[in-house]
Amino acid sequence: MRYENFGGSVKELVLMKIKEIEEKENVRILHAVESGSRAWGFASPDSDYDVRFIYARSQDDYLSLRGMKDFLDWELNETLDINGWDLKKALQHFHKSNATLFEWANSPVVYRTTDAWKELYESTARHYFSVKSAMCHYYGTASKNYHEYLTDDMVKYKKYFYVLRPILACKWIEQRESPPPVLFDDLVRAVLEEDMKSAVSELLEKKMRMPESEKAPAITGLNRYIERNLEHFKRAAGEMRDDRKLEWEPLERKFRELLREK
């Protein structure tokens, strides 16, 4: 995909945008990654680039009496979708075990990261992963996408992966009680049943050649597989104990330490 008259690579373009954000918003970007289908490994030929970032402001900004936005929507067009979260918001959502943040932290496509972010995540934030919260998130995503997009006679094949990936994430969480891999292929190798691998592989080959808007006949065998797993994980998530980590102080301490850094 092309971006106006820019002649460099996508990574060069994103790094240029990151510098632009820092200069115009007076923030420090700690971590910037690809999210969505390109990070998951099943982008269509015309997929855009979903860039997500975590940024920090100065200590004085956080001490201001004036309200501050806790997110930045920077750009949205046919090539780029760029937005980010303030560090304070990110840490509040780590406390809730927000599954999306764990995906950003573990994305295989990193445009920029910092030692401060890596230390914060590895020493503190990753320990706030909740098995129940993650299971509920991925089950809910799979169920919503299945019932919204895959129950008609003609469907968009891309939507199968928006259901299969969270189902496989649920399988990973059930078996290993840890954040699931971001790449779809890693989940397939680790937890997909052998008798389903050829069907999923064929589907992926077809999907990679199709424009995002194209539809094809629904695949009965895959729909049955999805329905069985949705029933199972709805029950499993409901029976799990709430394992969220309640204490704030480790995150508070890291937040203050990071703001003191130059």
Side-chain angles (χ1 to χ4, degrees):
M1 298 176 72
R2 298 292 297 171
Y3 180 83
E4 298 173 352
N5 296 318
F6 187 80
S9 67
V10 170
K11 183 170 184 178
E12 290 171 331
L13 174 61
V14 171
L15 291 174
M16 182 182 77
K17 292 293 179 180
I18 287 172
K19 185 176 180 181
E20 178 183 298
I21 294 166
E22 288 185 318
E23 291 175 351
K24 292 187 176 180
E25 293 289 336
N26 193 28
V27 299
R28 176 169 47 133
I29 291 183
L30 304 171
H31 190 62
V33 300
E34 186 69 24
S35 180
S37 61
R38 289 189 181 275
W40 300 331
F42 49 76
S44 298
D46 53 350
S47 293
D48 62 1
Y49 291 83
D50 297 314
V51 181
R52 301 292 178 263
F53 60 90
I54 306 295
Y55 64 91
R57 296 189 180 274
S58 69
Q59 256 188 323
D60 285 347
D61 283 337
Y62 290 107
L63 293 171
S64 173
L65 296 176
R66 291 168 291 180
M68 283 190 310
K69 287 196 308 182
D70 58 7
F71 65 92
L72 291 173
D73 282 330
W74 193 253
E75 188 153 354
L76 178 61
N77 53 52
E78 64 179 10
T79 302
L80 295 175
D81 177 354
I82 305 178
N83 63 68
W85 283 10
D86 183 271
L87 175 64
K88 185 174 181 178
K89 178 176 183 175
L91 295 183
Q92 289 169 337
H93 280 264
F94 269 123
H95 187 265
K96 299 176 183 178
S97 189
N98 183 312
T100 298
L101 273 172
F102 286 95
E103 293 206 2
W104 294 0
N106 294 299
S107 173
V109 183
V110 179
Y111 294 114
R112 182 209 278 183
T113 194
T114 59
D115 289 340
W117 171 263
K118 287 186 283 189
E119 200 279 330
L120 183 155
Y121 178 73
E122 290 297 329
S123 70
T124 306
R126 71 182 184 90
H127 298 294
Y128 282 80
F129 177 78
S130 159
V131 172
K132 183 180 180 70
S133 292
M135 179 75 80
C136 289
H137 168 83
Y138 286 111
Y139 161 75
T141 300
S143 180
K144 179 179 182 297
N145 285 329
Y146 177 69
H147 290 103
E148 189 168 342
Y149 297 113
L150 296 178
T151 56
D152 294 332
D153 293 336
M154 299 292 288
V155 300
K156 296 178 183 179
Y157 279 2
K158 180 175 183 176
K159 299 301 182 181
Y160 272 110
F161 296 94
Y162 284 83
V163 176
L164 289 169
R165 182 181 173 274
I167 282 176
L168 297 186
C170 285
K171 288 181 180 291
W172 175 284
I173 293 163
E174 185 176 54
Q175 295 173 16
R176 310 191 186 195
E177 299 187 342
S178 64
V182 175
L183 276 173
F184 182 70
D185 281 352
D186 289 346
L187 286 166
V188 166
R189 285 192 293 270
V191 298
L192 182 64
E193 296 86 343
E194 287 297 326
D195 62 354
M196 292 298 300
K197 286 184 177 179
S198 61
V200 171
S201 178
E202 289 173 12
L203 177 66
L204 184 58
E205 288 179 11
K206 292 177 182 177
K207 183 262 173 201
M208 297 292 278
R209 297 192 298 266
M210 296 170 65
E212 296 213 10
S213 59
E214 186 175 341
K215 290 188 176 183
I219 304 169
T220 303
L222 276 178
N223 282 38
R224 288 174 180 164
Y225 174 80
I226 289 166
E227 289 168 2
R228 288 197 305 272
N229 278 279
L230 288 178
E231 182 179 349
H232 170 74
F233 288 116
K234 180 179 182 180
R235 183 173 59 253
E239 293 173 353
M240 285 181 175
R241 67 178 181 85
D242 187 349
D243 63 329
R244 285 173 297 177
K245 191 172 183 179
L246 299 180
E247 58 265 42
W248 281 98
E249 183 51 36
L251 291 171
E252 296 270 18
R253 184 170 58 252
K254 286 298 176 183
F255 177 58
R256 292 189 291 267
E257 288 175 3
L258 194 146
L259 294 185
R260 295 188 190 108
E261 294 178 4
K262 299 296 184 183

Short mmCIF file of all heavy atoms in Angstrom, two decimals, residues 7-59:
data_model
loop_
_atom_site.label_atom_id
_atom_site.label_comp_id
_atom_site.label_asym_id
_atom_site.label_seq_id
_atom_site.Cartn_x
_atom_site.Cartn_y
_atom_site.Cartn_z
N GLY A 7 8.24 7.75 -0.17
CA GLY A 7 8.92 6.70 -0.93
C GLY A 7 9.64 5.67 -0.08
O GLY A 7 10.20 4.71 -0.62
N GLY A 8 9.64 5.83 1.23
CA GLY A 8 10.36 4.89 2.09
C GLY A 8 9.52 3.69 2.48
O GLY A 8 8.41 3.47 1.99
N SER A 9 10.05 2.89 3.41
CA SER A 9 9.35 1.71 3.90
C SER A 9 8.27 2.12 4.90
O SER A 9 8.26 3.26 5.40
CB SER A 9 10.34 0.77 4.59
OG SER A 9 10.84 1.36 5.78
N VAL A 10 7.38 1.18 5.20
CA VAL A 10 6.33 1.45 6.20
C VAL A 10 6.96 1.75 7.56
O VAL A 10 6.51 2.67 8.26
CB VAL A 10 5.36 0.26 6.30
CG1 VAL A 10 4.42 0.43 7.48
CG2 VAL A 10 4.56 0.11 5.01
N LYS A 11 7.99 1.02 7.93
CA LYS A 11 8.63 1.28 9.23
C LYS A 11 9.20 2.69 9.27
O LYS A 11 9.06 3.40 10.28
CB LYS A 11 9.73 0.27 9.51
CG LYS A 11 10.36 0.46 10.89
CD LYS A 11 11.29 -0.66 11.28
CE LYS A 11 11.81 -0.44 12.71
NZ LYS A 11 12.68 -1.53 13.17
N GLU A 12 9.83 3.13 8.19
CA GLU A 12 10.36 4.49 8.15
C GLU A 12 9.24 5.52 8.28
O GLU A 12 9.39 6.54 8.96
CB GLU A 12 11.14 4.71 6.85
CG GLU A 12 12.45 3.95 6.79
CD GLU A 12 13.09 3.99 5.42
OE1 GLU A 12 12.34 4.10 4.41
OE2 GLU A 12 14.33 3.90 5.33
N LEU A 13 8.12 5.24 7.63
CA LEU A 13 6.96 6.13 7.71
C LEU A 13 6.43 6.21 9.13
O LEU A 13 6.16 7.28 9.65
CB LEU A 13 5.87 5.64 6.76
CG LEU A 13 4.53 6.37 6.82
CD1 LEU A 13 4.69 7.84 6.46
CD2 LEU A 13 3.52 5.69 5.88
N VAL A 14 6.30 5.05 9.77
CA VAL A 14 5.77 5.03 11.15
C VAL A 14 6.73 5.74 12.09
O VAL A 14 6.30 6.52 12.96
CB VAL A 14 5.53 3.58 11.61
CG1 VAL A 14 5.19 3.54 13.10
CG2 VAL A 14 4.39 2.95 10.80
N LEU A 15 8.04 5.52 11.95
CA LEU A 15 9.01 6.21 12.81
C LEU A 15 8.95 7.72 12.60
O LEU A 15 9.12 8.49 13.56
CB LEU A 15 10.41 5.67 12.55
CG LEU A 15 10.66 4.24 13.00
CD1 LEU A 15 12.05 3.76 12.57
CD2 LEU A 15 10.51 4.11 14.52
N MET A 16 8.71 8.14 11.37
CA MET A 16 8.55 9.57 11.10
C MET A 16 7.32 10.11 11.83
O MET A 16 7.34 11.19 12.42
CB MET A 16 8.41 9.79 9.59
CG MET A 16 8.27 11.26 9.19
SD MET A 16 8.04 11.46 7.40
CE MET A 16 6.29 11.00 7.25
N LYS A 17 6.22 9.33 11.81
CA LYS A 17 5.00 9.74 12.49
C LYS A 17 5.19 9.78 14.01
O LYS A 17 4.66 10.66 14.70
CB LYS A 17 3.85 8.80 12.13
CG LYS A 17 3.40 8.90 10.68
CD LYS A 17 2.76 10.23 10.41
CE LYS A 17 2.33 10.37 8.97
NZ LYS A 17 1.70 11.68 8.70
N ILE A 18 5.95 8.84 14.54
CA ILE A 18 6.21 8.81 15.99
C ILE A 18 6.97 10.07 16.41
O ILE A 18 6.64 10.71 17.42
CB ILE A 18 7.01 7.54 16.35
CG1 ILE A 18 6.09 6.31 16.28
CG2 ILE A 18 7.63 7.66 17.74
CD1 ILE A 18 6.82 5.00 16.42
N LYS A 19 7.97 10.44 15.63
CA LYS A 19 8.72 11.66 15.93
C LYS A 19 7.81 12.88 15.85
O LYS A 19 7.88 13.80 16.68
CB LYS A 19 9.88 11.80 14.95
CG LYS A 19 10.81 12.97 15.25
CD LYS A 19 11.99 12.99 14.30
CE LYS A 19 12.91 14.17 14.61
NZ LYS A 19 14.08 14.23 13.69
N GLU A 20 6.93 12.90 14.86
CA GLU A 20 5.98 14.00 14.69
C GLU A 20 5.05 14.12 15.90
O GLU A 20 4.80 15.22 16.40
CB GLU A 20 5.18 13.73 13.42
CG GLU A 20 4.11 14.73 13.08
CD GLU A 20 3.33 14.31 11.83
OE1 GLU A 20 3.95 14.22 10.75
OE2 GLU A 20 2.13 14.04 11.95
N ILE A 21 4.56 12.99 16.39
CA ILE A 21 3.68 12.98 17.56
C ILE A 21 4.41 13.53 18.78
O ILE A 21 3.88 14.36 19.53
CB ILE A 21 3.16 11.55 17.84
CG1 ILE A 21 2.25 11.08 16.70
CG2 ILE A 21 2.40 11.51 19.17
CD1 ILE A 21 1.97 9.59 16.72
N GLU A 22 5.64 13.06 19.00
CA GLU A 22 6.40 13.50 20.17
C GLU A 22 6.63 15.01 20.15
O GLU A 22 6.50 15.69 21.17
CB GLU A 22 7.74 12.76 20.22
CG GLU A 22 7.61 11.30 20.61
CD GLU A 22 8.94 10.61 20.78
OE1 GLU A 22 9.85 10.86 19.95
OE2 GLU A 22 9.08 9.81 21.72
N GLU A 23 6.97 15.53 18.97
CA GLU A 23 7.27 16.96 18.87
C GLU A 23 6.01 17.81 19.03
O GLU A 23 6.02 18.83 19.72
CB GLU A 23 7.93 17.25 17.52
CG GLU A 23 9.35 16.66 17.42
CD GLU A 23 9.95 16.84 16.04
OE1 GLU A 23 9.21 17.25 15.11
OE2 GLU A 23 11.16 16.55 15.87
N LYS A 24 4.93 17.42 18.39
CA LYS A 24 3.72 18.25 18.41
C LYS A 24 2.93 18.12 19.71
O LYS A 24 2.24 19.06 20.12
CB LYS A 24 2.85 17.91 17.21
CG LYS A 24 3.48 18.32 15.89
CD LYS A 24 2.53 18.13 14.71
CE LYS A 24 3.16 18.64 13.43
NZ LYS A 24 2.26 18.48 12.25
N GLU A 25 3.00 16.95 20.36
CA GLU A 25 2.23 16.73 21.59
C GLU A 25 3.07 16.84 22.85
O GLU A 25 2.55 16.76 23.96
CB GLU A 25 1.58 15.34 21.55
CG GLU A 25 0.50 15.19 20.50
CD GLU A 25 -0.76 15.96 20.84
OE1 GLU A 25 -1.00 16.23 22.03
OE2 GLU A 25 -1.52 16.31 19.90
N ASN A 26 4.40 17.02 22.68
CA ASN A 26 5.32 17.11 23.82
C ASN A 26 5.19 15.89 24.74
O ASN A 26 4.98 16.01 25.96
CB ASN A 26 5.08 18.40 24.61
CG ASN A 26 6.20 18.69 25.58
OD1 ASN A 26 7.35 18.30 25.36
ND2 ASN A 26 5.89 19.37 26.67
N VAL A 27 5.28 14.72 24.14
CA VAL A 27 5.20 13.46 24.88
C VAL A 27 6.42 12.61 24.54
O VAL A 27 7.16 12.90 23.59
CB VAL A 27 3.91 12.68 24.55
CG1 VAL A 27 2.68 13.47 24.93
CG2 VAL A 27 3.87 12.27 23.07
N ARG A 28 6.60 11.55 25.32
CA ARG A 28 7.66 10.56 25.06
C ARG A 28 6.99 9.23 24.74
O ARG A 28 6.26 8.69 25.59
CB ARG A 28 8.56 10.45 26.28
CG ARG A 28 9.65 9.39 26.17
CD ARG A 28 10.68 9.50 27.28
NE ARG A 28 10.11 9.65 28.61
CZ ARG A 28 10.50 8.93 29.68
NH1 ARG A 28 11.45 8.03 29.57
NH2 ARG A 28 9.95 9.15 30.85
N ILE A 29 7.20 8.71 23.55
CA ILE A 29 6.60 7.42 23.18
C ILE A 29 7.50 6.30 23.66
O ILE A 29 8.67 6.20 23.29
CB ILE A 29 6.34 7.35 21.67
CG1 ILE A 29 5.21 8.34 21.32
CG2 ILE A 29 5.96 5.93 21.25
CD1 ILE A 29 4.79 8.35 19.87
N LEU A 30 6.94 5.45 24.53
CA LEU A 30 7.70 4.40 25.18
C LEU A 30 7.68 3.09 24.40
O LEU A 30 8.63 2.31 24.48
CB LEU A 30 7.12 4.14 26.58
CG LEU A 30 7.05 5.34 27.50
CD1 LEU A 30 6.25 5.00 28.75
CD2 LEU A 30 8.46 5.81 27.87
N HIS A 31 6.59 2.87 23.66
CA HIS A 31 6.42 1.57 23.00
C HIS A 31 5.44 1.78 21.85
O HIS A 31 4.36 2.34 22.05
CB HIS A 31 5.86 0.56 24.00
CG HIS A 31 5.85 -0.86 23.53
ND1 HIS A 31 6.99 -1.55 23.21
CD2 HIS A 31 4.82 -1.73 23.35
CE1 HIS A 31 6.67 -2.79 22.84
NE2 HIS A 31 5.36 -2.92 22.92
N ALA A 32 5.82 1.37 20.64
CA ALA A 32 4.95 1.51 19.47
C ALA A 32 5.02 0.23 18.65
O ALA A 32 6.11 -0.23 18.30
CB ALA A 32 5.38 2.71 18.63
N VAL A 33 3.85 -0.34 18.34
CA VAL A 33 3.80 -1.66 17.71
C VAL A 33 2.71 -1.70 16.65
O VAL A 33 1.86 -0.81 16.56
CB VAL A 33 3.52 -2.76 18.76
CG1 VAL A 33 4.59 -2.79 19.83
CG2 VAL A 33 2.12 -2.58 19.38
N GLU A 34 2.73 -2.78 15.89
CA GLU A 34 1.62 -3.11 14.99
C GLU A 34 0.60 -3.94 15.78
O GLU A 34 0.97 -4.83 16.56
CB GLU A 34 2.12 -3.89 13.79
CG GLU A 34 1.07 -4.16 12.74
CD GLU A 34 0.61 -2.91 11.99
OE1 GLU A 34 1.34 -1.93 11.93
OE2 GLU A 34 -0.52 -2.96 11.47
N SER A 35 -0.67 -3.62 15.55
CA SER A 35 -1.75 -4.38 16.17
C SER A 35 -2.65 -4.92 15.07
O SER A 35 -2.44 -4.62 13.89
CB SER A 35 -2.53 -3.48 17.13
OG SER A 35 -3.59 -4.16 17.76
N GLY A 36 -3.66 -5.71 15.43
CA GLY A 36 -4.60 -6.18 14.42
C GLY A 36 -4.05 -7.24 13.49
O GLY A 36 -3.09 -7.95 13.82
N SER A 37 -4.62 -7.33 12.29
CA SER A 37 -4.37 -8.47 11.41
C SER A 37 -2.92 -8.60 10.97
O SER A 37 -2.43 -9.71 10.75
CB SER A 37 -5.30 -8.42 10.19
OG SER A 37 -5.06 -7.25 9.43
N ARG A 38 -2.20 -7.49 10.83
CA ARG A 38 -0.79 -7.61 10.42
C ARG A 38 0.06 -8.18 11.55
O ARG A 38 1.00 -8.92 11.30
CB ARG A 38 -0.26 -6.24 9.96
CG ARG A 38 -0.86 -5.82 8.62
CD ARG A 38 -0.19 -4.58 8.06
NE ARG A 38 -0.81 -4.20 6.80
CZ ARG A 38 -0.48 -4.70 5.62
NH1 ARG A 38 0.48 -5.60 5.52
NH2 ARG A 38 -1.11 -4.30 4.52
N ALA A 39 -0.25 -7.84 12.78
CA ALA A 39 0.47 -8.44 13.91
C ALA A 39 0.06 -9.89 14.11
O ALA A 39 0.87 -10.72 14.52
CB ALA A 39 0.19 -7.64 15.18
N TRP A 40 -1.21 -10.20 13.82
CA TRP A 40 -1.70 -11.56 13.98
C TRP A 40 -1.21 -12.49 12.87
O TRP A 40 -1.27 -13.71 13.01
CB TRP A 40 -3.22 -11.58 14.03
CG TRP A 40 -3.79 -10.78 15.16
CD1 TRP A 40 -3.20 -10.54 16.37
CD2 TRP A 40 -5.05 -10.12 15.19
NE1 TRP A 40 -4.02 -9.76 17.15
CE2 TRP A 40 -5.16 -9.49 16.46
CE3 TRP A 40 -6.10 -10.00 14.29
CZ2 TRP A 40 -6.28 -8.75 16.83
CZ3 TRP A 40 -7.22 -9.26 14.66
CH2 TRP A 40 -7.31 -8.64 15.91
N GLY A 41 -0.80 -11.91 11.73
CA GLY A 41 -0.24 -12.72 10.65
C GLY A 41 -1.22 -13.15 9.60
O GLY A 41 -0.95 -14.10 8.85
N PHE A 42 -2.36 -12.46 9.48
CA PHE A 42 -3.29 -12.83 8.41
C PHE A 42 -3.91 -11.60 7.75
O PHE A 42 -5.09 -11.52 7.50
CB PHE A 42 -4.38 -13.80 8.89
CG PHE A 42 -5.11 -13.43 10.15
CD1 PHE A 42 -6.08 -12.45 10.15
CD2 PHE A 42 -4.84 -14.09 11.33
CE1 PHE A 42 -6.78 -12.12 11.30
CE2 PHE A 42 -5.53 -13.78 12.50
CZ PHE A 42 -6.50 -12.79 12.47
N ALA A 43 -3.04 -10.63 7.42
CA ALA A 43 -3.52 -9.42 6.76
C ALA A 43 -3.93 -9.72 5.32
O ALA A 43 -3.34 -10.56 4.65
CB ALA A 43 -2.43 -8.35 6.76
N SER A 44 -4.94 -9.02 4.85
CA SER A 44 -5.34 -9.08 3.44
C SER A 44 -4.43 -8.16 2.63
O SER A 44 -3.73 -7.31 3.18
CB SER A 44 -6.79 -8.62 3.28
OG SER A 44 -7.67 -9.47 3.99
N PRO A 45 -4.44 -8.32 1.29
CA PRO A 45 -3.58 -7.46 0.47
C PRO A 45 -3.83 -5.97 0.68
O PRO A 45 -2.92 -5.16 0.55
CB PRO A 45 -3.94 -7.88 -0.97
CG PRO A 45 -4.46 -9.28 -0.83
CD PRO A 45 -5.15 -9.33 0.48
N ASP A 46 -5.07 -5.60 1.00
CA ASP A 46 -5.40 -4.18 1.16
C ASP A 46 -5.60 -3.76 2.62
O ASP A 46 -6.19 -2.73 2.90
CB ASP A 46 -6.64 -3.82 0.35
CG ASP A 46 -7.83 -4.74 0.65
OD1 ASP A 46 -7.64 -5.75 1.34
OD2 ASP A 46 -8.95 -4.44 0.18
N SER A 47 -5.09 -4.57 3.58
CA SER A 47 -5.20 -4.21 4.99
C SER A 47 -4.38 -2.95 5.28
O SER A 47 -3.29 -2.77 4.74
CB SER A 47 -4.70 -5.34 5.88
OG SER A 47 -5.53 -6.47 5.81
N ASP A 48 -4.89 -2.11 6.18
CA ASP A 48 -4.11 -0.94 6.59
C ASP A 48 -3.14 -1.35 7.71
O ASP A 48 -3.07 -2.52 8.09
CB ASP A 48 -5.02 0.21 7.03
CG ASP A 48 -5.88 -0.15 8.24
OD1 ASP A 48 -5.76 -1.28 8.76
OD2 ASP A 48 -6.70 0.71 8.65
N TYR A 49 -2.40 -0.39 8.21
CA TYR A 49 -1.43 -0.62 9.29
C TYR A 49 -2.00 -0.03 10.57
O TYR A 49 -2.26 1.17 10.65
CB TYR A 49 -0.08 0.01 8.94
CG TYR A 49 0.62 -0.71 7.81
CD1 TYR A 49 0.31 -0.42 6.49
CD2 TYR A 49 1.56 -1.70 8.06
CE1 TYR A 49 0.93 -1.09 5.44
CE2 TYR A 49 2.19 -2.38 7.03
CZ TYR A 49 1.86 -2.07 5.71
OH TYR A 49 2.47 -2.74 4.68
N ASP A 50 -2.22 -0.89 11.57
CA ASP A 50 -2.80 -0.47 12.84
C ASP A 50 -1.67 -0.24 13.84
O ASP A 50 -1.20 -1.20 14.48
CB ASP A 50 -3.76 -1.53 13.37
CG ASP A 50 -4.95 -1.74 12.45
OD1 ASP A 50 -5.53 -0.73 12.02
OD2 ASP A 50 -5.29 -2.90 12.15
N VAL A 51 -1.23 0.99 13.96
CA VAL A 51 -0.12 1.34 14.85
C VAL A 51 -0.67 1.77 16.20
O VAL A 51 -1.52 2.66 16.27
CB VAL A 51 0.74 2.46 14.24
CG1 VAL A 51 1.92 2.80 15.16
CG2 VAL A 51 1.24 2.07 12.85
N ARG A 52 -0.19 1.15 17.26
CA ARG A 52 -0.62 1.48 18.61
C ARG A 52 0.60 1.83 19.45
O ARG A 52 1.65 1.20 19.32
CB ARG A 52 -1.38 0.31 19.25
CG ARG A 52 -2.61 -0.12 18.46
CD ARG A 52 -3.69 0.93 18.49
NE ARG A 52 -4.87 0.57 17.71
CZ ARG A 52 -5.09 0.97 16.46
NH1 ARG A 52 -4.21 1.75 15.84
NH2 ARG A 52 -6.18 0.60 15.82
N PHE A 53 0.45 2.83 20.33
CA PHE A 53 1.61 3.25 21.11
C PHE A 53 1.20 3.64 22.52
O PHE A 53 0.04 3.99 22.79
CB PHE A 53 2.35 4.39 20.42
CG PHE A 53 1.53 5.64 20.18
CD1 PHE A 53 1.50 6.66 21.14
CD2 PHE A 53 0.81 5.82 19.01
CE1 PHE A 53 0.75 7.81 20.93
CE2 PHE A 53 0.06 6.96 18.79
CZ PHE A 53 0.02 7.97 19.75
N ILE A 54 2.18 3.58 23.43
CA ILE A 54 2.04 4.05 24.81
C ILE A 54 2.97 5.25 24.96
O ILE A 54 4.14 5.18 24.58
CB ILE A 54 2.43 2.96 25.82
CG1 ILE A 54 1.66 1.66 25.57
CG2 ILE A 54 2.22 3.47 27.25
CD1 ILE A 54 0.18 1.76 25.78
N TYR A 55 2.45 6.34 25.53
CA TYR A 55 3.26 7.53 25.67
C TYR A 55 3.18 8.06 27.10
O TYR A 55 2.24 7.78 27.84
CB TYR A 55 2.80 8.63 24.70
CG TYR A 55 1.40 9.14 24.95
CD1 TYR A 55 1.17 10.23 25.79
CD2 TYR A 55 0.29 8.53 24.37
CE1 TYR A 55 -0.12 10.70 26.04
CE2 TYR A 55 -1.00 8.99 24.60
CZ TYR A 55 -1.20 10.07 25.43
OH TYR A 55 -2.47 10.53 25.68
N ALA A 56 4.21 8.83 27.48
CA ALA A 56 4.24 9.47 28.80
C ALA A 56 4.39 10.97 28.63
O ALA A 56 5.08 11.44 27.72
CB ALA A 56 5.39 8.91 29.63
N ARG A 57 3.75 11.71 29.51
CA ARG A 57 3.92 13.16 29.57
C ARG A 57 4.90 13.50 30.70
O ARG A 57 5.41 12.61 31.38
CB ARG A 57 2.57 13.84 29.79
CG ARG A 57 1.58 13.63 28.64
CD ARG A 57 0.36 14.49 28.80
NE ARG A 57 -0.58 14.29 27.69
CZ ARG A 57 -0.53 14.94 26.53
NH1 ARG A 57 0.43 15.84 26.33
NH2 ARG A 57 -1.42 14.72 25.58
N SER A 58 5.15 14.77 30.89
CA SER A 58 6.06 15.20 31.95
C SER A 58 5.36 15.10 33.31
O SER A 58 4.13 15.05 33.39
CB SER A 58 6.51 16.64 31.71
OG SER A 58 5.41 17.53 31.91
N GLN A 59 6.16 15.10 34.37
CA GLN A 59 5.60 15.10 35.71
C GLN A 59 4.65 16.27 35.92
O GLN A 59 3.57 16.13 36.51
CB GLN A 59 6.73 15.18 36.75
CG GLN A 59 7.03 13.86 37.44
CD GLN A 59 8.01 14.06 38.58
OE1 GLN A 59 8.94 14.85 38.51
NE2 GLN A 59 7.80 13.32 39.65
#
